[in-house]
Amino acid sequence: MKKIHYRFVSFFRTAILTSAVLLACSISGCSSENSSGSSSEASVSEEATKDYIRSTSFKLNTVVTITIYDSEDEALLAQCMELCDKYEKIFSRTSSDSELFQLNHRELTPVEGQTDTYQVSEELADLLSIGLSWTQKSNEAFDIAIAPLTELWDFTSETPTVPADSDIRNALSKCGIQGVSIHDRNITLESDDTAFDLGGIAKGYIADRIKDYLVSQGIQSATINLGGNVLCIGAKPDGTPFKIGVQKPFADRNETAAAMEITDKSVVSSGIYERFFEQDGVLYHHILNSQTGYPYKNDLIAVTIVSDHSVDGDALSTTCFALGYEKGLEFIETIPDTEAIFITSDYELHYTKDFQKNITVSASRLS
């Protein structure tokens, strides 16, 4: 196990791909309201890379940037943005016309002859299946059926407050995946209280689908930034990796702490500095414990996941944070082709055992 000591070092989850500097936000109905979601900031150096096309737009309640290095077809960028709109109409927890909202509020028509089974779109069934799988693998450290609880905690309010303990206890009684099953496109919800919050994995899923589309169009060099998820397609046109800069917590967005060289990988982080507020001298962050109803209290400041698929990085960053450093490290070492960095409360940076063998990383001590 290798570790480097820092005083305020962090791997933020939003990449500012290339030289652009973007604000880090959260996906509407997804990570902005979800205990499992997160946002953070970084930068990717373009250096010698000069030729590219790029589109930046406010989508999913965040800044979305798509950069393509080996094509001049602007229609590809437009289609990527249309995909963002398409998936928000499916996965948003708060938009009343989204499919997930309608499922959570039982506004969909049940399958004929059933009272608790609903047929959903292929995309929603797919993401719910992925989320259910990670919830089970993590023993509910990552939990997609936590919406009754996340609805109480409004970290985006101008004056956020801690919910009443009685309200938290009541919400907890409604959380959990008991009685949930999915077969093809049919989802059965035995409890009327079950409601999903897919914010912890929705942006990762969307990033993966955008990558699938671009690859199907012959793109071999691109970066996808969904305001918190960085996904690289291949490498730069000259064959060198993308350099993803990372930023220290609670600092200006241009204060970088370290850099990783990434080729055809996703980078996602979760940390206590992403969305939080203070009340009576106590810091409350957005990563909620589905057992207690309150933010996790452990030895971690942040976790960064480098993986092949962004949706997996989403789920794993939250899972490993929830488990704490020792158990989180033990868990991530069982996941193939995945690396992680843990930043503990003493501001030390801990790598998975093969991280520096597989990924080039540079960092400097910060004051």
Side-chain angles (χ1 to χ4, degrees), residues 30-98:
C30 297
S31 66
S32 63
E33 300 98 9
N34 186 6
S35 67
S36 303
S38 58
S39 296
S40 49
E41 302 173 19
S43 61
V44 176
S45 173
E46 286 180 334
E47 295 182 344
T49 303
K50 302 298 183 182
D51 298 324
Y52 56 85
I53 57 173
R54 172 184 294 146
S55 180
T56 297
S57 184
F58 195 77
K59 302 281 187 183
L60 311 170
N61 199 31
T62 190
V63 178
V64 172
T65 298
I66 311 296
T67 307
I68 300 174
Y69 297 94
D70 58 347
S71 174
E72 297 180 357
D73 187 355
E74 300 279 349
L76 297 175
L77 297 174
Q79 181 59 36
C80 290
M81 295 302 176
E82 289 180 13
L83 287 173
C84 290
D85 293 336
K86 167 189 173 180
Y87 286 115
E88 183 167 25
K89 290 280 289 183
I90 299 172
F91 301 140
S92 172
R93 179 178 64 81
T94 58
S95 178
S96 61
D97 62 350
S98 80

Side-chain angles (χ1 to χ4, degrees), residues 123-142:
E123 293 87 352
L124 182 56
D126 190 23
L127 187 54
L128 285 170
S129 295
I130 293 170
L132 189 63
S133 176
W134 279 115
T135 300
Q136 293 167 335
K137 288 178 184 177
S138 68
N139 291 320
E140 299 190 33
F142 173 87

